[in-house]
Amino acid sequence: MKITLISPRLAVQKGDFLGSGVPYLPLELAVVAAFLREQGHHIGVIDLFGSSPNTLESRRDHYLQGEPFTKFLDTPEIEQADLVIVYAISVMSHQEILGIIRDLRHSHPQSAIAVLENSQAVTAYAVSQLAEDFFNAGVDALVCGEIYWNWHEISSYLTHHQTVPVPENVLVSNPPPSHTLRRKVQKHPTYPIPAWDLFHLNNYWSIPYSHGPKTRCFLPILTSRGCPYPCDFCVVPETNNQQWRDRTAEEVVTEMIVLRDRFNVRHFQVEDLNPTVRHSRWNKICQLLIERQAEIFFYFVSGTKAETVKLEQIPLYAQAGCRYLSISPESGSPAVLKAIGKPFNHTHGLALIEACHRQGIYTQACLLVGHPAETVADYELSCDYLRAMVQAGLDEVAIFIVAPLAGSQLHRQNKIELDNSDTLTSFSPQGRRGWEELKYRRRKLIQLFFWQKLKMGSGLWLQGIRAVLGIPRTKMENLPRRVLFIYWLLLKQYWIQWLSSSWL
């Protein structure tokens, strides 16, 4: 069967680079491509962002970065496909994904079209919660969660849906009364090495920023899947059945080394939702990297659970190649954390930051503002904890305004109101009620961080120098070049339009 996989353009919120615009390589799609190829299918990939990250289209409140899908409608990947799978990589790209489906259905009315949920990212969403949007656009089926464990059932239904039962992890517009949606997970799973040969890696490497600290060549990796915690702002409890599944240390290290040799990559951004749940596994991964003299560097870029990292592990992490560790305290308030459903040991968090600082591992902390349970007193506790983290050696902070992401408990309970539902849904949505006050709180925390860093000595100045030189050690040091890159694309676009109008 000829299957075409589509990854959408990247949405960038206008006027706010802190809650959108970060380019994630479509990692799960690359794993799916490798899996489907192993099953004997002919795979084509259309990665709209990766095809042309230098292309920018302006929409009302955001930009779309990448090649428009309409340019691919007449290509063999679409014309000859037996099945088209559109990857719901991010909630921020939801409207773009619906546009792709509408264009496909209009130009190729007989095509089989499915949407694949991205179950391994907090920036994604549970597609089942917005099913009506997808079916109205013309999609045939929503594939929820991982496809690996019943692909034969899924493919049979997508190609012969009139005679085959609906798989339990597939949602359709008119399911039989007995159908109940159940995402499939498997303990201790084994996955193929991502098929990065089908993607435009050089285009991702050519832009001056990435999700983690930007290096010349890098790749993402998932060493585990899912997360066992029930955080109410997060979509992951629904998309992973609140289950964490680890890959073996041997499989992880083998994948790193194969990709190192295949693509000449030595920097790996660990994109797990919660990679260190079993701390002994990372001891083994580090030991194998050292024993095999892998000369690989890795970065925990997505925010791991701090308490699962033991202080005595940090020297081993550093020796094995760890250069960056992100943790997610979320709040300095125990009351807010209780409302979220996430325990956090603030004392251990400080000790972990100190231990990483001593070993040369750069650290990030992620905080939230605007949780429905947060009071002014709770917010002040977050300010206090941020001061303490900087004094412990914290290198950067990320502040997000809580968003009602589809699939989260907050979304289901309608606990966050939007004054304007037409604005881009992002990790800090401008359409949220009380946006100006929440933006002020976020700005105050950022200012507090910079003031505390200035008082700590020369570290902040060194970060600024690295940002200017393009040798970042933190995500924060990516930001100036990311902003300049976007505005450079806009300037070029305006210049070309001016020249065209002048000639006319």
Side-chain angles (χ1 to χ4, degrees):
M1 183 162 55
K2 293 182 179 180
I3 303 175
T4 294
L5 309 176
I6 301 175
S7 186
R9 290 181 287 180
L10 177 67
V12 184
Q13 188 167 249
K14 289 182 178 179
D16 182 26
F17 287 90
L18 300 179
S20 67
V22 174
Y24 294 85
L25 275 84
L27 173 53
E28 182 70 355
L29 202 64
V31 179
V32 167
F35 169 78
L36 295 178
R37 198 158 58 180
E38 287 182 353
Q39 303 302 306
H41 301 296
H42 177 79
I43 305 303
V45 171
I46 298 175
D47 178 7
L48 298 179
F49 174 82
S51 296
S52 182
N54 295 325
T55 300
L56 203 65
E57 179 183 337
S58 180
R59 296 289 177 91
R60 185 172 58 84
D61 67 336
H62 63 281
Y63 305 107
L64 288 172
Q65 190 175 358
E67 198 75 73
F69 176 64
T70 50
K71 294 196 174 182
F72 294 89
L73 282 173
D74 298 326
T75 61
E77 286 81 2
I78 298 299
E79 296 281 357
Q80 300 173 13
D82 300 305
L83 171 64
V84 178
I85 298 178
V86 185
Y87 183 41
I89 186 172
S90 166
V91 67
M92 289 165 270
S93 296
H94 179 61
Q95 292 301 322
E96 160 79 351
I97 293 165
L98 296 180
I100 291 170
I101 296 166
R102 284 190 288 263
D103 287 339
L104 268 172
R105 183 57 68 211
H106 177 74
S107 62
H108 297 78
Q110 303 305 315
S111 293
I113 307 171
V115 166
L116 174 65
E117 183 176 78
N118 178 9
S119 63
Q120 300 306 310
V122 296
T123 53
Y125 58 123
V127 295
S128 56
Q129 297 297 318
L130 299 179
E132 186 176 351
D133 287 356
F134 290 110
F135 294 132
N136 287 341
V139 80
D140 294 305
L142 305 177
V143 183
C144 302
E146 298 181 353
I147 70 168
Y148 313 104
W149 321 121
N150 66 330
W151 169 246
H152 179 70
E153 294 178 22
I154 295 171
S155 61
S156 295
Y157 175 78
L158 292 175
T159 52
H160 306 90
H161 61 271
Q162 294 181 344
T163 58
V164 177
V166 182
E168 61 181 0
N169 56 341
V170 171
L171 195 62
V172 296
S173 58
N174 293 299
S178 60
H179 183 268
T180 300
L181 178 66
R182 293 189 182 90
R183 292 172 175 83
K184 288 186 174 291
V185 298
Q186 184 165 318
K187 292 183 177 180
H188 311 297
T190 297
Y191 298 91
I193 293 173
W196 290 120
D197 56 295
L198 299 176
F199 294 79
H200 301 278
L201 290 179
N202 285 326
N203 287 348
Y204 283 93
W205 296 340
S206 69
I207 59 176
Y209 53 95
S210 63
H211 179 208
K214 177 66 167 65
T215 53
R216 188 178 66 84
C217 299
F218 64 93
L219 284 173
I221 188 170
L222 287 171
T223 78
S224 66
R225 290 176 176 244
C227 177
Y229 295 97
C231 302
D232 67 351
F233 63 85
C234 188
V235 303
V236 170
E238 175 166 341
T239 58
N240 286 268
N241 302 340
Q242 205 177 319
Q243 294 184 40
W244 181 80
R245 296 91 69 195
D246 63 332
R247 300 172 66 194
T248 66
E250 290 79 7
E251 183 181 342
V252 170
V253 172
T254 296
E255 180 171 317
M256 285 180 168
I257 291 175
V258 168
L259 292 174
R260 178 201 67 185
D261 295 342
R262 187 175 295 170
F263 297 103
N264 195 27
V265 169
R266 294 186 180 273
H267 298 267
F268 289 87
Q269 298 182 6
V270 179
E271 292 284 5
D272 302 29
L273 297 162
N274 209 333
T276 57
V277 168
R278 184 170 292 117
H279 62 85
S280 59
R281 185 180 71 106
W282 268 97
N283 281 351
K284 181 63 174 175
I285 290 172
C286 291
Q287 289 164 357
L288 288 173
L289 288 172
I290 294 169
E291 289 172 6
R292 298 182 186 180
Q293 299 180 338
E295 296 183 358
I296 279 170
F297 302 98
F298 58 93
Y299 309 75
F300 294 103
V301 296
S302 288
T304 196
K305 192 75 174 72
E307 298 89 332
T308 63
V309 181
K310 307 303 178 185
L311 300 182
E312 59 270 20
Q313 288 181 285
I314 298 303
L316 178 63
Y317 279 28
Q319 184 184 358
C322 181
R323 294 296 179 266
Y324 183 90
L325 178 68
S326 175
I327 62 173
S328 298
E330 316 298 6
S331 174
S333 166
V336 172
L337 289 168
K338 184 177 180 180
I340 289 173
K342 177 178 182 176
F344 186 82
N345 186 327
H346 290 94
T347 301
H348 179 80
L350 295 176
L352 179 61
I353 291 168
E354 289 178 350
C356 288
H357 185 71
R358 288 194 297 269
Q359 295 295 325
I361 297 175
Y362 294 88
T363 52
Q364 178 196 51
C366 299
L367 294 173
L368 300 174
V369 297
H371 189 277
E374 184 182 64
T375 65
V376 173
D378 294 321
Y379 172 73
E380 292 300 331
L381 288 175
S382 290
C383 293
D384 292 341
Y385 191 58
L386 179 56
R387 290 188 189 94
M389 288 192 290
V390 175
Q391 291 171 4
L394 183 71
D395 294 291
E396 69 172 337
V397 66
I399 315 291
F400 300 106
I401 297 171
V402 180
L405 302 182
S408 68
Q409 184 178 328
L410 291 181
H411 178 268
R412 290 193 298 272
Q413 296 175 351
N414 294 315
K415 287 191 173 183
I416 294 177
E417 296 184 62
L418 298 176
D419 286 330
N420 186 350
S421 59
D422 293 329
T423 57
L424 181 73
T425 301
S426 76
F427 239 42
S428 294
Q430 293 179 343
R432 188 182 157 170
R433 180 163 296 177
W435 165 256
E436 291 301 327
E437 170 61 24
L438 296 173
K439 187 171 68 169
Y440 168 77
R441 289 187 183 184
R442 182 180 65 176
R443 184 170 64 246
K444 183 180 173 184
L445 278 168
I446 294 171
Q447 290 171 345
L448 173 63
F449 169 78
F450 279 105
W451 176 242
Q452 293 297 317
K453 287 289 288 184
L454 283 171
K455 293 197 295 185
M456 291 293 292
S458 62
L460 187 61
W461 297 107
L462 292 175
Q463 287 181 271
I465 292 170
R466 290 197 298 264
V468 171
L469 295 178
I471 49 172
R473 298 293 180 266
T474 63
K475 297 179 188 177
M476 182 175 74
E477 295 163 38
N478 290 335
L479 185 59
R481 289 196 164 210
R482 177 155 67 94
V483 174
L484 288 173
F485 184 78
I486 295 298
Y487 283 122
W488 170 244
L489 294 182
L490 286 172
L491 183 62
K492 286 200 303 181
Q493 191 176 83
Y494 294 146
W495 177 251
I496 292 171
Q497 291 173 353
W498 182 83
L499 285 178
S500 299
S501 61
S502 298
W503 279 104
L504 292 175

